[in-house]
């Protein structure tokens, strides 16, 4: 069976095959990590960083090799490498988790900005995801020249918050 990111968020399992594809599944069995020297935050050599952390076929724009379309205009593709996923988990576990950023649908999360990943993530989105979106959706115009967002990592634990109810953002 194929695993999809929306479904994976609710899975309390650690599936190496899914991680290999670039979709992290974080288990409640995922261990706490000792302090690390985090290479993930060093993007001073962008080509080396991308080689370590971004799916090679995405970097090479081999979209037809990596994209699945389970429904019309819904595209699934591996973005990050297994190494990225592991290091992101380590990095996130070294910061205090917040639980009060949203009034109606709070999550246990960390902003990428707090983790020091906001600029790196926006660069990933603009260098790798935006060209893919332009290609698949045939987007035109300058409004796509630079994308930015409020991104965060969410932690789900059975004894804390095992899921997030169906909702619309800005509920």
């Amino acid at each position: 069976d194929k695993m999809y990111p929306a479904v994976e968020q609710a899975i309390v399992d650690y599936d190496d095959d899914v991680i290999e594809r670039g979709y992290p599944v974080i288990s409640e069995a995922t261990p706490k990590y000792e302090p690390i020297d985090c290479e993930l935050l060093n993007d001073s050599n962008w080509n080396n960083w991308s080689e370590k952390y971004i799916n090679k076929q995405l970097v090479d724009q081999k979209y037809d090799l990596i994209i699945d379309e389970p429904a019309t205009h819904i595209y699934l593709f591996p973005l990050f490498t297994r190494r990225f996923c592991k290091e992101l988990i380590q990095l996130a576990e070294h910061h205090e988790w917040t639980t009060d950023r949203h009034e109606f649908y709070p999550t246990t999360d960390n902003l990428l900005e707090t983790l020091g990943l906001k600029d790196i993530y926006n660069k990933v989105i603009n260098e790798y995801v935006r060209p893919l979106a332009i290609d698949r959706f045939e987007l035109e115009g300058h409004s796509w020249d630079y994308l930015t967002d409020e991104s965060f990592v969410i932690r789900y634990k059975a004894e804390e918050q095992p899921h997030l109810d169906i909702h619309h953002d800005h509920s």
Side-chain angles (χ1 to χ4, degrees):
D1 283 333
K2 212 172 245 190
M3 303 295 288
Y4 298 103
V7 174
E8 290 172 39
Q9 291 179 354
I11 295 174
V12 183
D13 190 16
Y14 197 93
D15 185 329
D16 285 340
D17 180 54
V18 174
I19 296 255
E20 279 297 325
R21 296 213 33 169
Y23 308 124
V25 177
I26 302 171
S27 163
E28 64 182 317
T30 301
K32 290 276 186 186
Y33 293 90
E34 296 301 317
I36 58 170
D37 179 22
C38 190
E39 289 183 53
L40 187 61
L41 298 175
N42 181 5
D43 67 336
S44 60
N45 184 326
W46 184 247
N47 289 335
N48 286 347
W49 191 96
S50 295
E51 188 176 307
K52 286 184 218 173
Y53 299 119
I54 303 296
N55 178 286
K56 178 156 178 35
Q57 286 126 348
L58 184 62
V59 171
D60 294 341
Q61 296 186 342
K62 304 293 184 187
Y63 303 144
D64 291 334
L65 295 176
I66 60 170
I67 294 178
D68 292 325
E69 188 175 2
T72 304
H73 299 300
I74 296 176
Y75 300 107
L76 300 173
F77 58 94
L79 173 56
F80 296 112
T81 62
R82 180 182 188 142
R83 180 177 180 170
F84 176 92
C85 297
K86 286 182 174 184
E87 289 184 26
L88 176 61
I89 293 167
Q90 291 174 345
L91 181 62
E93 289 294 345
H94 282 61
H95 289 78
E96 186 174 340
W97 293 93
T98 62
T99 57
D100 59 358
R101 286 190 328 102
H102 301 285
E103 182 180 352
F104 297 107
Y105 291 93
T107 56
T108 301
D109 61 38
N110 267 315
L111 287 169
L112 292 187
E113 183 174 14
T114 301
L115 301 179
L117 279 172
K118 179 182 178 180
D119 291 340
I120 292 171
Y121 184 73
N122 281 324
K123 191 169 183 177
V124 168
I125 294 300
N126 283 287
E127 297 240 351
Y128 301 115
V129 178
R130 185 174 55 87
L132 181 147
I134 289 169
D135 176 78
R136 292 297 141 154
F137 293 109
E138 299 176 8
L139 303 175
E140 296 178 359
H142 293 292
S143 62
W144 306 106
D145 285 349
Y146 186 77
L147 303 175
T148 187
D149 57 79
E150 177 194 68
S151 297
F152 48 94
V153 176
I154 299 176
R155 180 181 74 186
Y156 292 103
K157 283 187 165 184
E159 67 275 9
E160 291 176 6
Q161 181 183 15
H163 67 279
L164 187 61
D165 290 336
I166 294 174
H167 68 284
H168 296 280
D169 284 352
H170 305 287
S171 298

